Amino acid sequence: MSPEIDTRPQVETQTLEVNLGPQHPSTHGVFRMVATLDGETVIRLKPVMGYMHRNHEKIAEGLTYIGCFPYTDRLDYFCAMTNNLALAVAIERLAGIQVSERGEYIRVIMAELTRLVNHTAVTGFLLNDMGAFGTPLLYAFREREKILDLFEAASGSRMMCNYVRPGGVREDLPAGWVERAWEIVRAYPKFLDEFETLLTKNDIILQRTQQVGKLPQPLAVSAGITGPMLRASGVNYDIRKVDGYSVYPRVQFKVPLGTVGDVYDRYLIRILEMRESLKILEQALQALPTTSPSISPKGAAMGKAPRTFRPPKGHAYGRIEAPKGELGFFLVSDGSPQPYRYRIRPPSFINLTVLEDMCLGQKVADVIVILGSIDIVLCEVDR
């Protein structure tokens, strides 16, 4: 019996190229995605960036080492404290500077508060990208404001902190600051419980995030992905554990891992990381040396460090586990007060490189959610 011949008229289909951005609100800044669609399915996606390039690295090569710190605040402006810390770690390795005991604990406290700020905000933004306008983002920003008040009390600024310095921190904590920090740390688990009750088992969120934007382990590793994105794919890699910098080896915390590597895992990993950050904060606040430098050098917020650095000729790379992943600074010294070469390894930029891989075969509506789950800040991407 001969096979039936399809006599239906053949419909020619053609692909459609769609520009998302650079002013689209879901692109998290001045960013453009050129998506090629077959119907509503993504078959190609090209990220286009560079609209906010500010020549950060070249400018820094004409400044003193200390003069570079205010510029780091403008990279990931949600995470100014950790931006400062990464540069300080690089300078300390280049110049052989020791950090005071109290300064180390203050830095860790600020870094973990910054992780709370970042992860809380990105969760609110992710839900906003899904169409949940208002409630989750407003809840997130309500809690973020409390921590920004702490940053302002310590550094004088809520976002552009310019606080960490080689050897410690610029100013010691003001009176009553630790007590206010304890209040926030003790109240935060209740907020996370409410947040998870609203989100974690929500049917709509499960449908929009599970099996969407999967990032396989081999691709994550080969692309140099770090931070919550990498751990959501099941890779146990956290620089706080690997390098053991600052006082992290003295505190107990777990490294949460995902199993699927989809948008849902990336959401859940950040929630779990916030709970671990609270454990670190409790231990760091408990162990914070008292402020009595005249009695014990451990109580000084700043170690012995010159005001103007002339590191010996050489190079150094300092890195930390920033909220978005590995943030590193590569410095080359020619013996002058200015860095001869100043190079940044930004997690937002590196993590963005796998956007197309995660979007291929997905629907165009999912592209926005996948981008939101990466957690980028365009000022760090473009620099």
Side-chain angles (χ1 to χ4, degrees), residues 13-20 32-48 355-356 359-365 367:
T13 61
Q14 56 184 162
T15 59
L16 177 67
E17 194 171 87
V18 177
N19 279 279
L20 300 171
R32 181 161 66 107
M33 294 179 287
V34 183
T36 304
L37 309 177
D38 182 1
E40 290 192 10
T41 303
V42 178
I43 59 174
R44 280 192 303 277
L45 188 137
K46 178 184 177 183
V48 182
L355 175 62
E356 181 182 37
C359 290
L360 293 179
Q362 303 288 328
K363 301 301 182 184
V364 65
V367 170

Side-chain angles (χ1 to χ4, degrees), residues 326-361:
E326 179 181 336
L327 173 61
F329 285 80
F330 177 72
L331 303 175
V332 178
S333 171
D334 59 359
S336 70
Q338 295 86 26
Y340 175 77
R341 185 69 177 96
Y342 174 106
R343 183 78 171 90
I344 307 167
R345 192 269 186 209
S348 288
F349 175 72
I350 304 297
N351 292 349
L352 189 59
T353 59
V354 292
L355 175 62
E356 181 182 37
D357 299 275
M358 294 192 294
C359 290
L360 293 179

Side-chain angles (χ1 to χ4, degrees), residues 28 78 117-127 140 270 372-376:
H28 296 261
F78 278 90
V117 166
N118 182 85
H119 288 0
T120 302
V122 73
T123 303
F125 284 129
L126 178 63
L127 272 294
R270 292 184 174 102
S373 74
I374 296 176
D375 184 15
I376 62 169

